[in-house]
Amino acid sequence: MHNHITEAYEQMGISKEVLMLCQEIEESLKERFAEMDKVTECNQLKVLSAMQKHQISEAHLGPTTGYGYNDMGREALEKVYAEIFGTEAALVRAQITCGTHALAIALSSNLRPGDELISPVGKPYNTMEEIIGIRPSKGSLAEYGVTYKQVELLEDGTFDYEGIKNAISDKTKMMTIQRSKGYLTRPTFSVKQIGELISFIKNINPNIICMVDNCYGEFVELDEPSNVGADMVVGSLIKNPGGGLAPIGGYICGTKECVENAYYRLTAPGLGAEVGATLGVNKDFFQGLFNAPQVVNGALKGAIFAANLYERLGFECVPNATESRHDIIQAVTFHDPEKVIAFCEGIQYAAPIDSHVTPTPWPMPGYNCDVIMAAGAFISGASIELSADAPMHEPYTVYFQGGLSYHHAKFGIMKSLAQLEKKGLINIIL
Ligand SMILES: *Cc1c(COP(=O)(O)O)cnc(C)c1O
């Protein structure tokens, strides 16, 4: 068996040195991986139980067209999502084009002119700046007279409770709480931490709506933020909950009132959730959700494997090799553009699609420097699939995430190291 593996990797361009180091790292993670499997086991049962409870049948997997009235599958899927996230209601739609769109709907549908929105966790995800109007933008909340405040995190990455308390006013209608660090190097918050933050806010004013940007966090832990008091959780189906199968879509799970507001905003006042043809995506939405705990497990193991490997080689990793995980993103800092490029090349060369393409740094809208992106995905831009990207400036940090299976995520990381080795940028000493 050992020879088969060595040979198989050799054929895929992995040297004996890289393989031996990676095997050693993997060996050291056995216990940790076994612990993670228990979380996945529970989440798999949670998803299965929700599907059984709502008696999903073959009839739910078919398509509707046109207005999409009485789409049984769509309605059942929303019940299943609400069940899994422990919420009164859910909006899960192919008409939600991405995570940013889902967040825009959740915010703009629940805020009115004169209301104030606060981010108690510092700067939100890049695309949120335009939704809110931090960067002036057509159609932003600012244009509609919604004001915004931001409370920075404390130096150690924890919440500034005093600052949050002082920021809250009579106008404060909603909090936007981002779970994942996204493409920053602050820590990602655990569900427990988010729960504490929400309790603190609700203690000051129970009417403040707490929305959590749950992107990249689904099924990483046993609980979701909606289990600890969030009024709304929002995310993308081409990340964790789509399980790599959903070809488009987003979700908003939450209180009946918040979700109702969201569906009138997504479609039109008076129409709400009644319209929205599914055009054949129901089966992939259900099957992707069913697979999601397992897919997240693989992506998480890949991220942990990467942190342990690259930390061992002397590079700074966020999260580090041993800390607990609350999302699937892994950052590795190289302080060297050549290493960043080689890493991304390796990820690309490991892809099932477009593995023959070489990624290069390029100017991107919304960024003030060149960005390199490696992705060879079945679903365009799906970051639950193996992908990496890096803005080309100091400290030259690569953000890596996804992988539809652990073995593929692991291979991608091995290939990134192989590429660093091939270009003479790294010396592997066993
Ligand atoms: C990905 C992401 C988004 C936006 O999702 P898109 O699907 O890329 O529009 C928002 N917030 C966080 C934390 C994310 O990771």
Side-chain angles (χ1 to χ4, degrees):
M1 196 57 213
H2 180 74
N3 282 344
H4 284 295
I5 289 180
T6 311
E7 215 170 281
Y9 275 118
E10 219 165 77
Q11 267 178 16
M12 295 297 276
I14 305 294
S15 68
K16 281 212 175 65
E17 288 73 23
V18 169
L19 179 61
M20 279 174 72
L21 175 60
C22 290
Q23 278 172 337
E24 186 193 317
I25 298 287
E26 186 176 54
E27 196 59 33
S28 73
L29 292 169
K30 268 198 170 141
E31 264 175 48
R32 188 161 176 203
F33 282 3
E35 279 305 307
M36 290 166 59
D37 288 345
K38 290 180 195 161
V39 175
T40 304
E41 227 172 311
C42 292
N43 281 330
Q44 184 66 74
L45 294 179
K46 176 158 75 172
V47 171
L48 179 62
S49 148
M51 288 185 179
Q52 292 185 346
K53 181 174 172 185
H54 293 280
Q55 301 189 342
I56 304 309
S57 61
E58 194 175 349
H60 291 118
L61 308 181
T64 53
T65 57
Y67 293 110
Y69 291 133
N70 306 313
D71 187 312
M72 282 173 65
R74 183 190 69 211
E75 287 166 11
L77 180 74
E78 289 178 341
K79 286 194 182 123
V80 168
Y81 261 77
E83 190 77 40
I84 291 168
F85 285 90
T87 57
E88 290 171 359
L91 183 63
V92 187
R93 297 289 166 125
Q95 283 79 16
I96 301 177
T97 57
C98 60
T100 301
H101 187 197
L103 288 159
I105 294 164
L107 290 171
S108 58
S109 63
N110 283 286
L111 290 160
R112 295 290 178 272
D115 287 343
E116 177 182 78
L117 171 70
I118 296 179
S119 168
V121 297
K123 183 178 128 42
Y125 196 75
N126 203 35
T127 56
M128 288 284 276
E129 293 185 8
E130 278 155 308
I131 298 174
I132 296 167
I134 300 171
R135 274 184 285 138
S137 179
K138 281 198 166 62
S140 70
L141 292 172
E143 272 196 351
Y144 285 89
V146 173
T147 55
Y148 171 75
K149 271 192 222 154
Q150 173 174 317
V151 181
E152 301 303 327
L153 295 170
L154 297 175
E155 207 134 302
D156 62 355
T158 60
F159 308 126
D160 176 5
Y161 283 116
E162 194 57 37
I164 294 166
K165 190 176 168 196
N166 293 335
I168 292 173
S169 72
D170 292 345
K171 288 170 52 187
T172 308
K173 176 74 180 293
M174 197 161 163
M175 293 276 171
T176 176
I177 301 165
Q178 186 179 311
R179 175 176 177 181
S180 169
K181 65 181 169 299
Y183 302 121
L184 296 171
T185 45
R186 70 144 164 98
T188 287
F189 305 120
S190 67
V191 169
K192 183 166 174 280
Q193 282 175 303
I194 291 173
E196 286 161 7
L197 175 62
I198 293 172
S199 297
F200 179 82
I201 293 163
K202 296 277 186 186
N203 246 328
I204 296 169
N205 180 355
N207 295 325
I208 294 174
I209 300 167
C210 293
M211 182 200 80
V212 175
D213 174 351
N214 207 24
C215 282
Y216 287 130
E218 300 91 349
F219 303 121
V220 171
E221 297 183 51
L222 287 174
D223 283 330
E224 299 293 338
S226 39
N227 298 123
V228 294
D231 299 289
M232 264 192 292
V233 285
V234 180
S236 164
L237 298 199
I238 64 168
K239 292 179 180 169
N240 304 13
L245 285 178
I248 189 170
Y251 75 88
I252 299 169
C253 296
T255 64
K256 189 166 172 290
E257 192 182 344
C258 284
V259 173
E260 219 167 66
N261 281 333
Y263 58 65
Y264 286 119
R265 180 77 190 203
L266 170 68
T267 64
L271 298 183
E274 303 300 314
V275 294
T278 49
L279 308 170
V281 298
N282 279 343
K283 180 248 167 205
D284 285 341
F285 279 10
F286 276 114
Q287 196 178 356
L289 178 64
F290 179 71
N291 286 349
Q294 201 55 245
V295 171
V296 169
N297 174 289
L300 258 183
K301 283 180 181 165
I304 291 168
F305 174 76
N308 280 269
L309 178 65
Y310 278 98
E311 212 171 88
R312 164 77 176 272
L313 292 163
F315 300 104
E316 190 199 332
C317 294
V318 177
N320 70 27
T322 54
E323 74 189 274
S324 68
R325 300 273 160 164
H326 311 290
D327 69 3
I328 64 167
I329 302 178
Q330 180 63 52
V332 184
T333 295
F334 287 105
H335 294 292
D336 177 354
E338 291 309 312
K339 290 194 178 85
V340 163
I341 291 169
F343 181 100
C344 290
E345 284 171 353
I347 296 293
Q348 187 75 40
Y349 299 157
I353 310 291
D354 288 338
S355 64
H356 52 284
V357 171
T358 298
T360 49
W362 208 257
M364 286 276 300
Y367 290 87
N368 48 13
C369 67
D370 287 0
V371 178
I372 184 166
M373 292 190 166
F378 293 100
I379 307 293
S380 180
S383 46
I384 187 60
E385 297 187 51
L386 186 67
S387 48
D389 34 70
M392 295 301 289
H393 59 59
E394 269 299 343
Y396 291 100
T397 297
V398 175
Y399 296 87
F400 153 84
Q401 70 270 311
L404 295 182
S405 71
Y406 166 60
H407 291 120
H408 185 238
K410 175 187 162 189
F411 177 65
I413 293 298
M414 292 173 82
K415 199 75 183 154
S416 73
L417 180 56
Q419 192 64 9
L420 283 156
E421 186 194 40
K422 189 175 160 195
K423 287 184 141 182
L425 296 168
I426 209 160
N427 228 339
I428 297 170
I429 304 158
L430 291 169

